Amino acid sequence: MKYILAANWKSHPSSKDEAKRLLVGLSKNSDKFRKLHTIIAPPNTFLELVGSKIKSMGILASQDISLLSKGTYTGETTVEMLKGQGVMASIIGHSERRKLGETNSLISKKANQALKEGIAPIVCVGEDVHDTEGNYFEVLNAQIRGSLEGLKKTDAKKLVVAYEPLWAIGKSAKDAMQPNDLAQMIVYIRKVLTEMFGRASADQVAIIYGGSVEPGNAKELLGSGAQGFLVGHASLSAKSFVEIAKAMLNK
Ligand code: PGA
């Protein structure tokens, strides 16, 4: 099995030159990225640039998709436009978009739209707080069911669920989830998916982890059963992203 290594550049880098430098650093290590399912999700302004370099490394993703098709929709980037740039996957329902008002219901519509358009959805879920009473299981259950509503068993093989607990995002390796806790969460997510899609289909869904994945914790986090990572800040340095890839390959 090839692990998934997805980069979420968020709203970085701030210039095309910086993006080019990052890509040069990554391209030098394309042999490693090819041994993984490497996905890069730059901001839309750099889709073309990343798209022109990514073929030797992996596939291009967007950080969101629109439900609207071409028309009078100021500010929207349509799926058709994304596909025109070579986008093959899309992060959907990232917690930073949920904070801007995206609901489970909207996210499920986007996931269905992505699948209909032949784009692999990377649907993000994750609790705000990992409380001692275990309420986060309920939170996650509702998020998974709500965000994947309407998906069919046959969609499972194209679906990636990214478990990203909010409290672990954007920190450092020591603040990331511990591998044992992550293992428990992955079993739970798989159980909810099994209830939704049946065992055989649920097993086809890739479950990855995001939240302060860095070179220092990538290897041990993979021991949890995660099938890969969604990496934020550590994907903005070629050096650390390559180190994460190496750690995954040495697992
Ligand atoms: P992080 O971000 O790696 O900086 O924690 C992950 C994400 O938000 O996707």
Side-chain angles (χ1 to χ4, degrees), residues 6-10 91 94-96 124 162 164-166 168-172 176 209-214 229-236 244:
N8 178 7
W9 286 6
K10 306 191 179 184
I91 299 173
H94 190 279
S95 58
E96 287 152 14
C124 301
E164 298 207 307
L166 271 66
I169 292 178
K171 304 213 171 122
S172 64
Y209 168 78
S212 301
V213 176
E214 292 185 346
F229 299 125
L230 180 54
V231 183
H233 64 273
S235 71
L236 295 168
I244 291 173

Side-chain angles (χ1 to χ4, degrees), residues 93-184:
H94 190 279
S95 58
E96 287 152 14
R97 297 219 57 85
R98 290 179 187 261
K99 263 192 215 145
L100 292 174
E102 292 203 6
T103 59
N104 288 329
S105 157
L106 176 65
I107 291 160
S108 72
K109 288 192 182 86
K110 290 185 171 184
N112 280 283
Q113 163 91 342
L115 286 159
K116 185 171 132 252
E117 297 285 347
I119 290 181
I122 303 170
V123 178
C124 301
V125 294
E127 74 280 2
D128 278 322
V129 278
H130 209 65
D131 60 300
T132 45
E133 293 82 36
N135 291 323
Y136 50 85
F137 285 115
E138 278 313 304
V139 172
L140 209 52
N141 192 323
Q143 272 187 6
I144 298 167
R145 288 177 188 277
S147 307
L148 302 180
E149 204 184 310
L151 265 63
K152 299 179 293 296
K153 283 176 184 233
T154 46
D155 296 323
K157 56 182 179 300
K158 291 176 220 122
L159 175 67
V160 179
V161 171
Y163 171 57
E164 298 207 307
L166 271 66
W167 51 268
I169 292 178
K171 304 213 171 122
S172 64
K174 67 174 177 17
D175 303 302
M177 191 166 225
Q178 293 306 306
N180 286 346
D181 293 336
L182 179 56
Q184 188 187 30

